[in-house]
Amino acid sequence: MLIHENTNLTLEECQVTEEVILEWDYSRDAIEYIHKRTGLNKGMILADINSGTGNLARHFMKLANTVYCIEPDREKRQEAAERFWKNKNFIEINGTANCTMIGRQSVDVITCGSGISDCEEHAAIREFRRILKDNGWLILIENKLLMDNLTKSDPYPPELMSFYYPHNIWERLEYPFRFFADRETLLGICPHASSQQNIEKLFAGRKEERIIGEGITILHIGQPGY
């Protein structure tokens, strides 16, 4: 596990922990750290930006008072609604990072998975400032195939993080894990062309329908104090 504040360490310089999971998902250690660091509890409100079908939001359903799932794609919202309709704290919103439809300074924790790459930074940061409480938390998290060249394609370069965390104080943590998945599942959850090329390489010449692969959860967490 690596923790630092606005430094430029390469993946090779990171001290990491490893865990094994049965499917492609965010590292359990990363999720537990979010719970612990933010003190997430029944008195808090969480907004998951570009929530998709709720793969990230589901990890917070049992702890938060309210979990807003903001997603512009109707089919993804419908799938999330079918998954979580029994959760009284789940609220589906047809919105974007630019317009969440949430009240001013009403959110304790903002989370955004790989969907942060779909955000227009200046518009998103204005909305984050509007909805996040003064002492609120911003969490940016993404899974990558470990075989991807992260030193060249890091989705969270320091200059971008300085934009989202204007006081230049945040934690970056990296959690390698092993997963068990089939080709179609991986292609569906890793949409970037470079990742899909690496997935095809993983399965090239193999007869197995499911394989054990290696991934890494990249987590940024801090209180931006907008």
Side-chain angles (χ1 to χ4, degrees), residues 136-161:
W137 293 87
L138 174 61
I139 289 135
L140 307 177
I141 186 170
E142 180 163 355
N143 277 352
K144 299 280 286 184
L145 287 173
L146 199 56
M147 67 186 297
D148 285 345
N149 191 339
L150 299 184
T151 59
K152 291 185 178 180
S153 60
D154 189 342
Y156 303 106
E159 59 270 22
L160 179 61
M161 293 302 95

PDB file of all heavy atoms in Angstrom, residues 136-161:
ATOM      1  N   GLY A 136     -16.160  17.791   3.551  1.00  0.00           N
ATOM      2  CA  GLY A 136     -16.510  16.572   2.838  1.00  0.00           C
ATOM      3  C   GLY A 136     -15.325  15.907   2.164  1.00  0.00           C
ATOM      4  O   GLY A 136     -14.242  16.489   2.015  1.00  0.00           O
ATOM      5  N   TRP A 137     -15.537  14.668   1.746  1.00  0.00           N
ATOM      6  CA  TRP A 137     -14.486  13.836   1.146  1.00  0.00           C
ATOM      7  C   TRP A 137     -14.741  13.645  -0.348  1.00  0.00           C
ATOM      8  O   TRP A 137     -15.882  13.469  -0.780  1.00  0.00           O
ATOM      9  CB  TRP A 137     -14.456  12.464   1.810  1.00  0.00           C
ATOM     10  CG  TRP A 137     -14.026  12.495   3.244  1.00  0.00           C
ATOM     11  CD1 TRP A 137     -14.821  12.706   4.342  1.00  0.00           C
ATOM     12  CD2 TRP A 137     -12.698  12.330   3.733  1.00  0.00           C
ATOM     13  NE1 TRP A 137     -14.069  12.673   5.488  1.00  0.00           N
ATOM     14  CE2 TRP A 137     -12.753  12.446   5.150  1.00  0.00           C
ATOM     15  CE3 TRP A 137     -11.464  12.091   3.129  1.00  0.00           C
ATOM     16  CZ2 TRP A 137     -11.626  12.325   5.955  1.00  0.00           C
ATOM     17  CZ3 TRP A 137     -10.341  11.972   3.926  1.00  0.00           C
ATOM     18  CH2 TRP A 137     -10.434  12.094   5.325  1.00  0.00           C
ATOM     19  N   LEU A 138     -13.651  13.661  -1.116  1.00  0.00           N
ATOM     20  CA  LEU A 138     -13.707  13.328  -2.532  1.00  0.00           C
ATOM     21  C   LEU A 138     -12.867  12.084  -2.754  1.00  0.00           C
ATOM     22  O   LEU A 138     -11.676  12.058  -2.411  1.00  0.00           O
ATOM     23  CB  LEU A 138     -13.167  14.480  -3.386  1.00  0.00           C
ATOM     24  CG  LEU A 138     -13.050  14.188  -4.893  1.00  0.00           C
ATOM     25  CD1 LEU A 138     -14.416  13.873  -5.499  1.00  0.00           C
ATOM     26  CD2 LEU A 138     -12.400  15.362  -5.615  1.00  0.00           C
ATOM     27  N   ILE A 139     -13.493  11.061  -3.346  1.00  0.00           N
ATOM     28  CA  ILE A 139     -12.823   9.778  -3.575  1.00  0.00           C
ATOM     29  C   ILE A 139     -12.867   9.454  -5.061  1.00  0.00           C
ATOM     30  O   ILE A 139     -13.938   9.368  -5.659  1.00  0.00           O
ATOM     31  CB  ILE A 139     -13.499   8.652  -2.772  1.00  0.00           C
ATOM     32  CG1 ILE A 139     -13.190   8.826  -1.285  1.00  0.00           C
ATOM     33  CG2 ILE A 139     -13.023   7.283  -3.210  1.00  0.00           C
ATOM     34  CD1 ILE A 139     -14.349   8.650  -0.401  1.00  0.00           C
ATOM     35  N   LEU A 140     -11.699   9.294  -5.659  1.00  0.00           N
ATOM     36  CA  LEU A 140     -11.566   8.896  -7.053  1.00  0.00           C
ATOM     37  C   LEU A 140     -10.900   7.532  -7.078  1.00  0.00           C
ATOM     38  O   LEU A 140      -9.836   7.349  -6.492  1.00  0.00           O
ATOM     39  CB  LEU A 140     -10.724   9.917  -7.824  1.00  0.00           C
ATOM     40  CG  LEU A 140     -11.183  11.375  -7.722  1.00  0.00           C
ATOM     41  CD1 LEU A 140     -10.225  12.289  -8.476  1.00  0.00           C
ATOM     42  CD2 LEU A 140     -12.606  11.545  -8.229  1.00  0.00           C
ATOM     43  N   ILE A 141     -11.517   6.583  -7.743  1.00  0.00           N
ATOM     44  CA  ILE A 141     -11.039   5.203  -7.673  1.00  0.00           C
ATOM     45  C   ILE A 141     -11.223   4.531  -9.026  1.00  0.00           C
ATOM     46  O   ILE A 141     -12.184   4.804  -9.748  1.00  0.00           O
ATOM     47  CB  ILE A 141     -11.797   4.437  -6.559  1.00  0.00           C
ATOM     48  CG1 ILE A 141     -11.229   3.036  -6.349  1.00  0.00           C
ATOM     49  CG2 ILE A 141     -13.290   4.390  -6.823  1.00  0.00           C
ATOM     50  CD1 ILE A 141     -11.785   2.343  -5.102  1.00  0.00           C
ATOM     51  N   GLU A 142     -10.276   3.686  -9.381  1.00  0.00           N
ATOM     52  CA  GLU A 142     -10.349   3.002 -10.668  1.00  0.00           C
ATOM     53  C   GLU A 142      -9.573   1.696 -10.608  1.00  0.00           C
ATOM     54  O   GLU A 142      -8.544   1.614  -9.939  1.00  0.00           O
ATOM     55  CB  GLU A 142      -9.789   3.878 -11.792  1.00  0.00           C
ATOM     56  CG  GLU A 142      -9.840   3.218 -13.150  1.00  0.00           C
ATOM     57  CD  GLU A 142      -9.673   4.199 -14.297  1.00  0.00           C
ATOM     58  OE1 GLU A 142      -9.610   5.414 -14.052  1.00  0.00           O
ATOM     59  OE2 GLU A 142      -9.608   3.738 -15.454  1.00  0.00           O
ATOM     60  N   ASN A 143     -10.075   0.705 -11.318  1.00  0.00           N
ATOM     61  CA  ASN A 143      -9.359  -0.552 -11.483  1.00  0.00           C
ATOM     62  C   ASN A 143      -8.653  -0.563 -12.827  1.00  0.00           C
ATOM     63  O   ASN A 143      -9.209  -0.115 -13.843  1.00  0.00           O
ATOM     64  CB  ASN A 143     -10.321  -1.747 -11.424  1.00  0.00           C
ATOM     65  CG  ASN A 143     -10.630  -2.163 -10.012  1.00  0.00           C
ATOM     66  OD1 ASN A 143     -10.038  -1.674  -9.057  1.00  0.00           O
ATOM     67  ND2 ASN A 143     -11.584  -3.064  -9.855  1.00  0.00           N
ATOM     68  N   LYS A 144      -7.428  -1.081 -12.840  1.00  0.00           N
ATOM     69  CA  LYS A 144      -6.676  -1.237 -14.074  1.00  0.00           C
ATOM     70  C   LYS A 144      -6.103  -2.643 -14.120  1.00  0.00           C
ATOM     71  O   LYS A 144      -5.787  -3.232 -13.085  1.00  0.00           O
ATOM     72  CB  LYS A 144      -5.526  -0.228 -14.139  1.00  0.00           C
ATOM     73  CG  LYS A 144      -5.948   1.221 -14.122  1.00  0.00           C
ATOM     74  CD  LYS A 144      -6.420   1.711 -15.469  1.00  0.00           C
ATOM     75  CE  LYS A 144      -5.284   1.914 -16.420  1.00  0.00           C
ATOM     76  NZ  LYS A 144      -5.713   2.481 -17.728  1.00  0.00           N
ATOM     77  N   LEU A 145      -5.950  -3.171 -15.333  1.00  0.00           N
ATOM     78  CA  LEU A 145      -5.186  -4.400 -15.484  1.00  0.00           C
ATOM     79  C   LEU A 145      -3.739  -4.114 -15.129  1.00  0.00           C
ATOM     80  O   LEU A 145      -3.174  -3.101 -15.547  1.00  0.00           O
ATOM     81  CB  LEU A 145      -5.267  -4.907 -16.923  1.00  0.00           C
ATOM     82  CG  LEU A 145      -6.595  -5.521 -17.363  1.00  0.00           C
ATOM     83  CD1 LEU A 145      -6.543  -5.803 -18.859  1.00  0.00           C
ATOM     84  CD2 LEU A 145      -6.888  -6.785 -16.600  1.00  0.00           C
ATOM     85  N   LEU A 146      -3.126  -4.975 -14.344  1.00  0.00           N
ATOM     86  CA  LEU A 146      -1.757  -4.732 -13.919  1.00  0.00           C
ATOM     87  C   LEU A 146      -0.800  -4.759 -15.106  1.00  0.00           C
ATOM     88  O   LEU A 146       0.249  -4.124 -15.072  1.00  0.00           O
ATOM     89  CB  LEU A 146      -1.330  -5.775 -12.876  1.00  0.00           C
ATOM     90  CG  LEU A 146      -0.123  -5.410 -12.022  1.00  0.00           C
ATOM     91  CD1 LEU A 146      -0.336  -4.084 -11.309  1.00  0.00           C
ATOM     92  CD2 LEU A 146       0.187  -6.499 -11.018  1.00  0.00           C
ATOM     93  N   MET A 147      -1.179  -5.463 -16.164  1.00  0.00           N
ATOM     94  CA  MET A 147      -0.310  -5.517 -17.335  1.00  0.00           C
ATOM     95  C   MET A 147      -0.407  -4.257 -18.184  1.00  0.00           C
ATOM     96  O   MET A 147       0.398  -4.042 -19.082  1.00  0.00           O
ATOM     97  CB  MET A 147      -0.619  -6.749 -18.184  1.00  0.00           C
ATOM     98  CG  MET A 147      -1.972  -6.732 -18.853  1.00  0.00           C
ATOM     99  SD  MET A 147      -2.347  -8.285 -19.705  1.00  0.00           S
ATOM    100  CE  MET A 147      -1.061  -8.335 -20.948  1.00  0.00           C
ATOM    101  N   ASP A 148      -1.380  -3.378 -17.914  1.00  0.00           N
ATOM    102  CA  ASP A 148      -1.416  -2.083 -18.583  1.00  0.00           C
ATOM    103  C   ASP A 148      -0.193  -1.264 -18.154  1.00  0.00           C
ATOM    104  O   ASP A 148       0.258  -1.362 -17.013  1.00  0.00           O
ATOM    105  CB  ASP A 148      -2.679  -1.313 -18.223  1.00  0.00           C
ATOM    106  CG  ASP A 148      -3.918  -1.849 -18.926  1.00  0.00           C
ATOM    107  OD1 ASP A 148      -3.760  -2.611 -19.885  1.00  0.00           O
ATOM    108  OD2 ASP A 148      -5.029  -1.507 -18.496  1.00  0.00           O
ATOM    109  N   ASN A 149       0.316  -0.447 -19.040  1.00  0.00           N
ATOM    110  CA  ASN A 149       1.482   0.373 -18.713  1.00  0.00           C
ATOM    111  C   ASN A 149       1.030   1.585 -17.911  1.00  0.00           C
ATOM    112  O   ASN A 149       0.755   2.651 -18.450  1.00  0.00           O
ATOM    113  CB  ASN A 149       2.192   0.811 -20.001  1.00  0.00           C
ATOM    114  CG  ASN A 149       3.547   1.423 -19.708  1.00  0.00           C
ATOM    115  OD1 ASN A 149       3.804   1.878 -18.591  1.00  0.00           O
ATOM    116  ND2 ASN A 149       4.418   1.429 -20.701  1.00  0.00           N
ATOM    117  N   LEU A 150       0.962   1.416 -16.592  1.00  0.00           N
ATOM    118  CA  LEU A 150       0.413   2.469 -15.741  1.00  0.00           C
ATOM    119  C   LEU A 150       1.341   3.675 -15.644  1.00  0.00           C
ATOM    120  O   LEU A 150       0.882   4.775 -15.346  1.00  0.00           O
ATOM    121  CB  LEU A 150       0.145   1.913 -14.342  1.00  0.00           C
ATOM    122  CG  LEU A 150      -0.866   0.765 -14.267  1.00  0.00           C
ATOM    123  CD1 LEU A 150      -1.105   0.376 -12.820  1.00  0.00           C
ATOM    124  CD2 LEU A 150      -2.174   1.148 -14.918  1.00  0.00           C
ATOM    125  N   THR A 151       2.630   3.492 -15.868  1.00  0.00           N
ATOM    126  CA  THR A 151       3.535   4.634 -15.772  1.00  0.00           C
ATOM    127  C   THR A 151       3.323   5.600 -16.940  1.00  0.00           C
ATOM    128  O   THR A 151       3.682   6.770 -16.850  1.00  0.00           O
ATOM    129  CB  THR A 151       5.007   4.175 -15.767  1.00  0.00           C
ATOM    130  OG1 THR A 151       5.267   3.443 -16.974  1.00  0.00           O
ATOM    131  CG2 THR A 151       5.278   3.283 -14.565  1.00  0.00           C
ATOM    132  N   LYS A 152       2.722   5.105 -18.037  1.00  0.00           N
ATOM    133  CA  LYS A 152       2.468   5.975 -19.187  1.00  0.00           C
ATOM    134  C   LYS A 152       0.996   6.344 -19.318  1.00  0.00           C
ATOM    135  O   LYS A 152       0.665   7.333 -19.966  1.00  0.00           O
ATOM    136  CB  LYS A 152       2.940   5.277 -20.471  1.00  0.00           C
ATOM    137  CG  LYS A 152       4.450   5.129 -20.580  1.00  0.00           C
ATOM    138  CD  LYS A 152       4.841   4.549 -21.930  1.00  0.00           C
ATOM    139  CE  LYS A 152       6.357   4.445 -22.049  1.00  0.00           C
ATOM    140  NZ  LYS A 152       6.751   3.879 -23.373  1.00  0.00           N
ATOM    141  N   SER A 153       0.104   5.553 -18.727  1.00  0.00           N
ATOM    142  CA  SER A 153      -1.323   5.798 -18.911  1.00  0.00           C
ATOM    143  C   SER A 153      -2.049   5.958 -17.578  1.00  0.00           C
ATOM    144  O   SER A 153      -3.185   5.557 -17.440  1.00  0.00           O
ATOM    145  CB  SER A 153      -1.952   4.645 -19.708  1.00  0.00           C
ATOM    146  OG  SER A 153      -1.775   3.406 -19.013  1.00  0.00           O
ATOM    147  N   ASP A 154      -1.381   6.519 -16.599  1.00  0.00           N
ATOM    148  CA  ASP A 154      -1.994   6.735 -15.299  1.00  0.00           C
ATOM    149  C   ASP A 154      -3.198   7.648 -15.464  1.00  0.00           C
ATOM    150  O   ASP A 154      -3.065   8.770 -15.961  1.00  0.00           O
ATOM    151  CB  ASP A 154      -0.979   7.376 -14.347  1.00  0.00           C
ATOM    152  CG  ASP A 154      -1.469   7.429 -12.907  1.00  0.00           C
ATOM    153  OD1 ASP A 154      -2.687   7.302 -12.693  1.00  0.00           O
ATOM    154  OD2 ASP A 154      -0.631   7.595 -12.010  1.00  0.00           O
ATOM    155  N   PRO A 155      -4.398   7.187 -15.081  1.00  0.00           N
ATOM    156  CA  PRO A 155      -5.585   8.028 -15.244  1.00  0.00           C
ATOM    157  C   PRO A 155      -5.626   9.205 -14.276  1.00  0.00           C
ATOM    158  O   PRO A 155      -6.477  10.073 -14.400  1.00  0.00           O
ATOM    159  CB  PRO A 155      -6.732   7.048 -14.980  1.00  0.00           C
ATOM    160  CG  PRO A 155      -6.151   6.022 -14.067  1.00  0.00           C
ATOM    161  CD  PRO A 155      -4.717   5.870 -14.507  1.00  0.00           C
ATOM    162  N   TYR A 156      -4.706   9.230 -13.310  1.00  0.00           N
ATOM    163  CA  TYR A 156      -4.710  10.278 -12.294  1.00  0.00           C
ATOM    164  C   TYR A 156      -3.345  10.942 -12.179  1.00  0.00           C
ATOM    165  O   TYR A 156      -2.664  10.815 -11.173  1.00  0.00           O
ATOM    166  CB  TYR A 156      -5.118   9.695 -10.943  1.00  0.00           C
ATOM    167  CG  TYR A 156      -6.465   9.005 -10.953  1.00  0.00           C
ATOM    168  CD1 TYR A 156      -6.564   7.614 -10.917  1.00  0.00           C
ATOM    169  CD2 TYR A 156      -7.627   9.746 -11.017  1.00  0.00           C
ATOM    170  CE1 TYR A 156      -7.794   6.990 -10.936  1.00  0.00           C
ATOM    171  CE2 TYR A 156      -8.865   9.122 -11.024  1.00  0.00           C
ATOM    172  CZ  TYR A 156      -8.949   7.747 -10.992  1.00  0.00           C
ATOM    173  OH  TYR A 156     -10.161   7.137 -11.010  1.00  0.00           O
ATOM    174  N   PRO A 157      -2.908  11.666 -13.201  1.00  0.00           N
ATOM    175  CA  PRO A 157      -1.610  12.343 -13.110  1.00  0.00           C
ATOM    176  C   PRO A 157      -1.650  13.433 -12.046  1.00  0.00           C
ATOM    177  O   PRO A 157      -2.717  13.981 -11.729  1.00  0.00           O
ATOM    178  CB  PRO A 157      -1.431  12.940 -14.506  1.00  0.00           C
ATOM    179  CG  PRO A 157      -2.818  13.092 -15.037  1.00  0.00           C
ATOM    180  CD  PRO A 157      -3.584  11.924 -14.486  1.00  0.00           C
ATOM    181  N   PRO A 158      -0.505  13.791 -11.441  1.00  0.00           N
ATOM    182  CA  PRO A 158      -0.474  14.772 -10.354  1.00  0.00           C
ATOM    183  C   PRO A 158      -1.112  16.108 -10.713  1.00  0.00           C
ATOM    184  O   PRO A 158      -1.757  16.742  -9.869  1.00  0.00           O
ATOM    185  CB  PRO A 158       1.019  14.924 -10.058  1.00  0.00           C
ATOM    186  CG  PRO A 158       1.617  13.618 -10.481  1.00  0.00           C
ATOM    187  CD  PRO A 158       0.822  13.182 -11.669  1.00  0.00           C
ATOM    188  N   GLU A 159      -0.947  16.554 -11.963  1.00  0.00           N
ATOM    189  CA  GLU A 159      -1.531  17.843 -12.333  1.00  0.00           C
ATOM    190  C   GLU A 159      -3.051  17.820 -12.299  1.00  0.00           C
ATOM    191  O   GLU A 159      -3.700  18.817 -11.948  1.00  0.00           O
ATOM    192  CB  GLU A 159      -1.041  18.280 -13.719  1.00  0.00           C
ATOM    193  CG  GLU A 159      -1.342  17.326 -14.847  1.00  0.00           C
ATOM    194  CD  GLU A 159      -0.253  16.300 -15.082  1.00  0.00           C
ATOM    195  OE1 GLU A 159       0.548  16.040 -14.147  1.00  0.00           O
ATOM    196  OE2 GLU A 159      -0.205  15.743 -16.193  1.00  0.00           O
ATOM    197  N   LEU A 160      -3.648  16.674 -12.635  1.00  0.00           N
ATOM    198  CA  LEU A 160      -5.102  16.544 -12.550  1.00  0.00           C
ATOM    199  C   LEU A 160      -5.551  16.483 -11.096  1.00  0.00           C
ATOM    200  O   LEU A 160      -6.561  17.086 -10.714  1.00  0.00           O
ATOM    201  CB  LEU A 160      -5.568  15.293 -13.295  1.00  0.00           C
ATOM    202  CG  LEU A 160      -7.078  15.021 -13.273  1.00  0.00           C
ATOM    203  CD1 LEU A 160      -7.843  16.166 -13.925  1.00  0.00           C
ATOM    204  CD2 LEU A 160      -7.400  13.700 -13.971  1.00  0.00           C
ATOM    205  N   MET A 161      -4.794  15.781 -10.265  1.00  0.00           N
ATOM    206  CA  MET A 161      -5.145  15.687  -8.857  1.00  0.00           C
ATOM    207  C   MET A 161      -5.034  17.044  -8.156  1.00  0.00           C
ATOM    208  O   MET A 161      -5.833  17.357  -7.272  1.00  0.00           O
ATOM    209  CB  MET A 161      -4.256  14.657  -8.158  1.00  0.00           C
ATOM    210  CG  MET A 161      -4.497  13.231  -8.614  1.00  0.00           C
ATOM    211  SD  MET A 161      -6.215  12.675  -8.378  1.00  0.00           S
ATOM    212  CE  MET A 161      -6.916  13.017 -10.001  1.00  0.00           C
TER     213      MET A 161
END
